[in-house]
Amino acid sequence: MLHGIVKTLKGLRRDEKHKKIKGRVVLMKKNVLDFNDFGASLLDRYHELAGNKVVLHLISSQYTDSENKVKGKVGKAAHLEKWITTITSLTPGDSAFDVTFDYEEEIGIPGAFIINNFHHSEFYLKTLTLENVPGHEHAHIHFVCNSWVYPAHKYKVGRVFFTNKAYLPNQTPAPLLPYRQQELLNLRGDGSGELQEWDRVYDYAYYNDLGDPDKGQDYTRPVLGGSSHYPYPRRARTGRPPTNTDPNTESRIPLLMSLNIYVPRDERFGHLKMSDFLGYGLKSIAQFLLPELKDVCQSISNEFDSFEDALKIYEGGFKLPNSSRLKSIYDNVPLELLKEILPTDGEGLFKFPTPKVIQEDKSAWRTDEEFTQEMLGGMNPVIISRVEEFPPKSNLDPKVYGNQTSTMAWHHVKDHMDGITIDEAIEAKKLFILNHHDSLMPYLRRINSTKTKTYASRTLLLLQNDGRLKSLAIELSLPHPNGDEFGAISKVYTPAKDGVDGSIWQLAKAYATVNDSGVHQLISHFLNTHAVIEPFVIATNRQLSVLHPIHKLLHPHFRDSMNINAFARQILINAGGILEATVFPAKYSMELSSFIYKNWNFLDQALPADLMKRGMAEEDSNAPHGLRLVIPDYPYAVDGLEIWSAIQTWVEDYCKLYYESDDSVENDTEVQSWWKEVREEGHGDKKNEAWWPKMHTRKELIDSCTIIIWIASALHAAVNFGQYPFAGYMPNRPTVSRQLMPEAGSEEYEKLKTNPDKVFLRTITARLQTLLGIALIEILSKHSSDEIYLGQRDTPEWTVDAGPLEAFDKFGKKLNEIGEKIMEMNNDEKWKNRVGPAKLPYTLLYPTSEKGLTGKGIPNSASI
């Protein structure tokens, strides 16, 4: 009998030795994703035939190596099966490969795996799933990878991927901890050398790559970041050598190579056709379209003669002349992308889609009601503030800038005050301002030395009893001709409808709107979303392991942000780039952005804090979200607070699943290193500010993550996707002014009597800048087909942990409710500010969207 038991046990062990673990790998081959590299597939097959395969090893989460004693034991090699016979389509799609591992008792439950690619080409590894792992038969083991894997010789060590379970550092299975730590070291790099596409290095640099001094003095720009004079958030390091002319300026890559500017490969745009469209589109505008449009504007006229003339770019179109440059567009841009970049009517007429602001009514944009409504529910609803003293004072240093107090007075506004005094309006919280004075005055003398001719502006507004705003006055100010210390020279304009006074008022609104458009693009949009979020992207990848729950929480909100920022530095915000060509600060655009960053405060980016700072809300424990809006019908704030609250609840639910106490936050070594690096490196010019959270409590962690997600998702959506709907018709949102207000007795003043529209159009953005500007914002306002929206993930198995999945499902359902509520309010005529005279409903914070130019939808990240 004993002999029989022994025999049975030996048989069981023998069976166990021959057990296999079946796995399935999902990836996308390079040739699927690359328009011009069909040879990659052939070379990979050659390597496969030669025995150079894709090899995987499981890593134990239970047992350490017998020699190393610290690192998890590495299992036997297994390779992807049937690489040659697995057919890959030429359209973007996944390929699935089987892989068979020998079960090894000394491996136990795997917690990671190593992969080495011995093929010629890289591939995009999506997932590995293991079935029926002994001891884990109740569920498969899933690894979410979503990473490019280059040939093995490009790496010092094999690529390591972990299961989709989250661990705080001190809770990580001991055999996996060395791999966790080593992976973070790999991602930090050593700070040296020029980075190549296969490098997986996240590191910091100043904005020292905007200028191109080797091209001449006109292309010299200051280094932003690293000084008190020009503070700025850090961007991703590329390691390119300095220019020949200036050792502090990084050399630039040729325009033709723009798509190859370094960011870690996993940060590149998504892998579907529409994702790459953005890169091709931006490059095409800069390289091909700009010179072509210059020719058009020279052959027609660089001026619009009338508003009807301006409408032709949507309704009639115009022919691009035949030229070698036009041919190069067709030769260099893939056909399916060309249709997006050069929209035509089939007869070669270049035309744009009609912006929503003029779809219902071609002239409603000119009304005072639309002008004021867009401050609350337009593309830049984050500037308006409440007036608490009159006349408005300046915060500029009087020793440097003299007296900058507003010259607006009672006699300017008394006829428009609806029967109340200024003091009564302030007391009733009914007086508001769109203030672009202090932000512009220090740079105005320099800006006006360019082709731009403009003013600093203050627009005074009254809240009426029906909940809408009305304009009271616009003050336009210039620096004193004798020097800044002598203060400002200001003039106040008041509403008028008819005659020359009515035309002057239209011009005053245009100057105020030019300022708002430039501040929107440079500050509200680029600085306050794109630029400030990049340090968080870099620090998260350097200091928080992919196993870390906070990495899993934040990672979706960083998708493609580094890539679009790199493109921006290469094509948009660089010296002579598209932004300098289309917004009023011209060559001083990024300097102005740096000047505004001096007052940036991380905590003020929280929507409730921002609203209270601007006097637009007050704390009220009985009000929804604990805030009472001073203007109840403030669409951005109403919808924004709903979204903010949903994000905050989701983050709180999630964080409390992993952090039981404040001590667990303070003792989290990775979170502490992450936050230290954000403060001292990523936003290093702000490192001594007292307002930074100390990151000692759960509340500080929850609040900080909520702000980060808000900036990357909802705030960005609110200031980005309204660009074409509102500003695609340039007269509504001009970005440049080219001459100052006509003075009585001047030739331009006389023209106001006979052809005021022509004076207006010759004052604001010219034809070339208009065409270039709207070509850009059309691209930036579009959703790609692979967009992932707030409340969505790129894979349902982003974590194996049940609690977070349940909380995330609750978050998604809440966002759906908010979307329904937004549509209900837009259809309720009680809310007059949600749909202005132009009949453009406020949908910018509606959570989801279809592909294309929709004016709604909150993507997870600032990815465009």
Side-chain angles (χ1 to χ4, degrees):
M1 184 177 174
L2 183 61
H3 175 74
I5 293 172
V6 171
K7 190 174 180 182
T8 301
L9 288 172
K10 283 184 176 178
L12 285 171
R13 287 197 193 101
R14 194 161 49 246
D15 289 343
E16 198 142 279
K17 282 183 181 178
H18 292 94
K19 272 187 183 176
K20 302 292 184 183
I21 298 175
K22 290 290 185 181
R24 171 152 285 210
V25 167
V26 177
L27 57 79
M28 284 196 286
K29 296 182 180 180
K30 183 191 179 190
N31 67 293
V32 168
L33 308 170
D34 195 319
F35 286 112
N36 304 309
D37 201 354
F38 297 110
S41 179
L42 295 175
L43 285 166
D44 287 342
R45 291 179 182 203
Y46 171 79
H47 280 70
E48 186 78 14
L49 284 169
N52 300 321
K53 299 178 181 291
V54 176
V55 180
L56 296 85
H57 301 260
L58 298 179
I59 300 173
S60 176
S61 66
Q62 296 177 299
Y63 308 113
T64 55
D65 186 273
S66 57
E67 295 180 8
N68 184 280
K69 303 292 186 186
V70 177
K71 297 179 82 171
K73 184 170 178 59
V74 178
K76 295 176 183 175
H79 62 268
L80 298 190
E81 299 163 11
K82 300 180 181 178
W83 182 280
I84 294 174
T85 56
T86 300
I87 303 300
T88 305
S89 67
L90 294 181
T91 56
D94 300 341
S95 298
F97 297 90
D98 290 333
V99 58
T100 305
F101 299 93
D102 288 332
Y103 172 69
E104 301 170 72
E105 195 173 344
E106 57 269 36
I107 295 294
I109 307 298
F113 71 92
I114 299 171
I115 186 167
N116 282 291
N117 173 14
F118 294 108
H119 286 178
H120 168 268
S121 307
E122 68 271 22
F123 53 78
Y124 186 72
L125 180 63
K126 300 186 83 172
T127 59
L128 166 65
T129 306
L130 303 177
E131 302 287 354
N132 298 316
V133 175
H136 204 277
E137 292 90 349
H138 62 283
H140 64 237
I141 297 177
H142 193 64
F143 301 80
V144 177
C145 308
N146 288 338
S147 181
W148 285 93
V149 178
Y150 276 77
H153 68 271
K154 299 291 189 185
Y155 304 122
K156 293 177 181 176
V157 293
R159 293 292 310 279
V160 175
F161 295 95
F162 300 92
T163 63
N164 60 341
K165 181 165 179 58
Y167 296 101
L168 294 176
N170 62 0
Q171 296 170 348
T172 309
L176 297 180
L177 197 55
Y179 295 97
R180 177 176 183 148
Q181 294 166 341
Q182 182 60 51
E183 178 69 358
L184 286 173
L185 288 174
N186 295 340
L187 292 169
R188 290 173 202 152
D190 61 9
S192 66
E194 182 170 357
L195 296 168
Q196 304 300 321
E197 66 173 85
W198 52 82
D199 287 321
R200 302 172 53 242
V201 171
Y202 294 79
D203 204 355
Y204 302 97
Y206 303 137
Y207 275 68
N208 67 342
D209 61 343
L210 302 180
D212 196 354
D214 291 351
K215 288 175 68 173
Q217 186 63 32
D218 285 348
Y219 290 88
T220 299
R221 297 293 181 271
V223 173
L224 304 185
S227 69
S228 57
H229 193 61
Y230 293 118
Y232 217 65
R234 304 299 184 257
R235 50 94 174 177
R237 186 178 80 84
T238 68
R240 294 196 303 270
T243 60
N244 297 323
T245 311
D246 179 9
N248 294 318
T249 298
E250 185 173 279
S251 58
R252 296 178 56 76
I253 60 175
L255 195 59
L256 273 168
M257 302 290 290
S258 294
L259 298 185
N260 296 327
I261 187 168
Y262 174 79
V263 293
R265 185 66 190 272
D266 293 345
E267 302 297 333
R268 290 276 186 103
F269 288 133
H271 316 297
L272 297 178
K273 176 177 67 177
M274 277 302 294
S275 304
D276 283 337
F277 154 70
L278 176 67
Y280 283 104
L282 290 180
K283 188 176 86 167
S284 298
I285 288 176
Q287 183 180 343
F288 306 116
L289 202 50
L290 178 55
E292 203 58 57
L293 292 177
K294 280 182 179 174
D295 283 357
V296 170
C297 295
Q298 286 169 4
S299 64
I300 304 173
S301 163
N302 200 29
E303 301 292 346
F304 292 115
D305 289 324
S306 65
F307 291 117
E308 290 73 22
D309 189 20
L311 287 171
K312 287 179 183 175
I313 62 176
Y314 317 103
E315 296 174 345
F318 55 90
K319 269 196 181 297
L320 289 174
N322 290 321
S323 71
S324 58
R325 273 198 300 265
L326 188 60
K327 183 177 184 299
S328 48
I329 297 178
Y330 287 94
D331 290 345
N332 284 275
V333 182
L335 180 62
E336 63 269 36
L337 306 176
L338 192 66
K339 293 173 185 173
E340 300 285 347
I341 299 160
L342 291 178
T344 69
D345 65 351
E347 297 179 5
L349 290 175
F350 186 73
K351 63 189 295 189
F352 292 96
T354 303
K356 289 185 177 180
V357 76
I358 55 169
Q359 281 182 7
E360 296 291 326
D361 187 327
K362 297 292 189 289
S363 60
W365 65 272
R366 301 191 77 172
T367 64
D368 285 5
E369 291 79 8
E370 182 67 24
F371 173 65
T372 57
Q373 186 270 339
E374 289 184 19
M375 299 177 198
L376 299 172
M379 59 185 266
N380 194 31
V382 296
I383 303 296
I384 187 172
S385 60
R386 182 161 56 87
V387 174
E388 299 186 43
E389 61 178 348
F390 188 86
K393 291 183 179 176
S394 169
N395 291 318
L396 295 175
D397 185 350
K399 293 177 183 175
V400 178
Y401 297 104
N403 181 12
Q404 295 286 336
T405 300
S406 174
T407 60
M408 288 189 283
W410 170 247
H411 71 268
H412 291 121
V413 301
K414 63 181 181 179
D415 293 337
H416 304 280
M417 287 296 296
D418 291 353
I420 60 174
T421 66
I422 289 288
D423 289 342
E424 288 169 338
I426 291 174
E427 179 68 23
K429 300 180 175 61
K430 287 191 166 190
L431 204 60
F432 297 87
I433 191 169
L434 188 73
N435 198 335
H436 293 303
H437 183 93
D438 285 7
S439 57
L440 300 183
M441 184 57 76
Y443 268 85
L444 195 54
R445 196 182 299 276
R446 278 168 282 186
I447 290 169
N448 281 348
S449 71
T450 69
K451 292 179 180 178
T452 295
K453 299 294 177 279
T454 194
Y455 303 88
S457 63
R458 294 177 172 115
T459 304
L460 194 67
L461 308 144
L462 181 71
L463 181 64
Q464 301 172 104
N465 292 332
D466 66 359
R468 293 186 294 182
L469 292 169
K470 69 185 287 190
S471 302
L472 295 176
I474 294 174
E475 179 185 58
L476 302 178
S477 303
L478 290 169
H480 198 286
N482 295 334
D484 290 349
E485 67 274 20
F486 293 96
I489 301 294
S490 301
K491 189 166 182 179
V492 178
Y493 300 88
T494 55
K497 290 192 181 297
D498 303 316
V500 172
D501 288 345
S503 300
I504 292 286
W505 175 244
Q506 289 294 333
L507 284 170
K509 290 194 297 180
Y511 290 115
T513 305
V514 164
N515 289 344
D516 199 57
S517 296
V519 168
H520 162 264
Q521 198 62 273
L522 295 169
I523 313 303
S524 305
H525 184 204
F526 186 77
L527 172 63
N528 286 345
T529 63
H530 286 272
V532 302
I533 209 69
E534 188 161 358
F536 292 98
V537 182
I538 299 170
T540 299
N541 282 281
R542 286 168 55 88
Q543 299 296 342
L544 297 180
S545 163
V546 293
L547 286 167
H548 200 290
I550 300 302
H551 186 287
K552 290 185 184 296
L553 173 70
L554 296 179
H555 185 258
H557 303 288
F558 300 151
R559 182 179 188 249
D560 297 343
S561 295
M562 289 178 73
N563 203 167
I564 187 61
N565 287 3
F567 275 2
R569 300 196 315 274
Q570 179 66 11
I571 295 170
L572 300 182
I573 61 174
N574 59 301
I578 298 173
L579 214 61
E580 286 193 358
T582 56
V583 296
F584 76 87
K587 65 182 288 186
Y588 298 104
S589 293
M590 292 304 290
E591 278 189 57
L592 178 63
S593 177
S594 167
F595 174 72
I596 301 298
Y597 178 66
K598 290 179 180 180
N599 294 318
W600 184 81
N601 178 326
F602 175 70
L603 293 179
D604 286 347
Q605 309 314 301
L607 179 60
D610 168 58
L611 292 171
M612 287 191 288
K613 183 178 181 180
R614 291 190 283 121
M616 302 303 289
E618 297 175 325
E619 288 185 333
D620 183 346
S621 59
N622 296 318
H625 319 298
L627 282 185
R628 181 175 55 80
L629 293 175
V630 176
I631 302 178
D633 188 7
Y634 181 1
Y636 164 72
V638 171
D639 298 354
L641 285 171
E642 291 284 346
I643 298 291
W644 168 270
S645 177
I647 295 171
Q648 187 177 49
T649 300
W650 150 238
V651 172
E652 183 173 3
D653 289 347
Y654 181 88
C655 288
K656 286 184 175 179
L657 290 167
Y658 294 99
Y659 294 93
E660 295 179 352
S661 65
D662 292 343
D663 287 346
S664 58
V665 174
E666 197 163 3
N667 295 329
D668 184 336
T669 53
E670 287 185 10
V671 154
Q672 295 306 319
S673 297
W674 168 65
W675 199 244
K676 184 175 190 290
E677 190 167 286
V678 164
R679 294 193 324 266
E680 297 182 4
E681 297 291 338
H683 283 280
D685 299 330
K686 294 280 186 178
K687 64 184 177 183
N688 296 320
E689 299 286 0
W691 43 253
W692 280 109
K694 300 292 187 285
M695 205 52 73
H696 291 166
T697 66
R698 286 198 304 183
K699 185 178 186 308
E700 287 178 317
L701 178 63
I702 290 164
D703 290 349
S704 297
C705 289
T706 302
I707 293 172
I708 292 167
I709 294 172
W710 166 260
I711 292 171
S713 59
L715 179 59
H716 177 261
V719 297
N720 183 74
F721 293 102
Q723 290 186 86
Y724 197 82
F726 286 102
Y729 183 61
M730 196 61 77
N732 183 51
R733 296 286 300 179
T735 58
V736 171
S737 56
R738 296 175 287 148
Q739 59 187 18
L740 296 176
M741 183 74 83
E743 296 290 341
S746 68
E747 186 179 337
E748 284 296 292
Y749 191 88
E750 291 303 310
K751 286 180 184 175
L752 284 174
K753 298 176 181 177
T754 57
N755 196 343
D757 289 354
K758 195 162 189 175
V759 176
F760 184 96
L761 289 165
R762 287 178 184 267
T763 300
I764 64 165
T765 320
R767 187 189 297 265
L768 171 62
Q769 291 166 308
T770 295
L771 297 176
L772 186 59
I774 63 178
L776 171 65
I777 64 173
E778 185 193 1
I779 290 171
L780 298 185
S781 301
K782 281 183 174 177
H783 292 293
S784 67
S785 59
D786 64 345
E787 198 82 88
I788 303 172
Y789 296 94
L790 196 62
Q792 300 175 355
R793 291 272 176 151
D794 57 358
T795 171
E797 293 191 79
W798 60 275
T799 180
V800 73
D801 300 335
L805 290 172
E806 187 179 322
F808 190 66
D809 183 61
K810 172 182 152 188
F811 177 46
K813 288 175 179 173
K814 181 61 179 176
L815 291 171
N816 289 337
E817 291 174 15
I818 294 170
E820 290 174 5
K821 186 175 179 182
I822 287 171
M823 291 310 186
E824 286 175 13
M825 294 183 75
N826 284 349
N827 290 323
D828 186 345
E829 293 184 1
K830 165 183 156 187
W831 304 106
K832 294 181 170 54
N833 292 326
R834 298 195 70 89
V835 183
K839 305 300 180 192
L840 179 48
Y842 189 74
T843 55
L844 291 172
L845 289 174
Y846 185 85
T848 59
S849 175
E850 309 78 45
K851 163 188 163 183
L853 208 56
T854 65
K856 63 178 182 178
I858 305 175
N860 271 326
S861 59
S863 59
I864 194 166

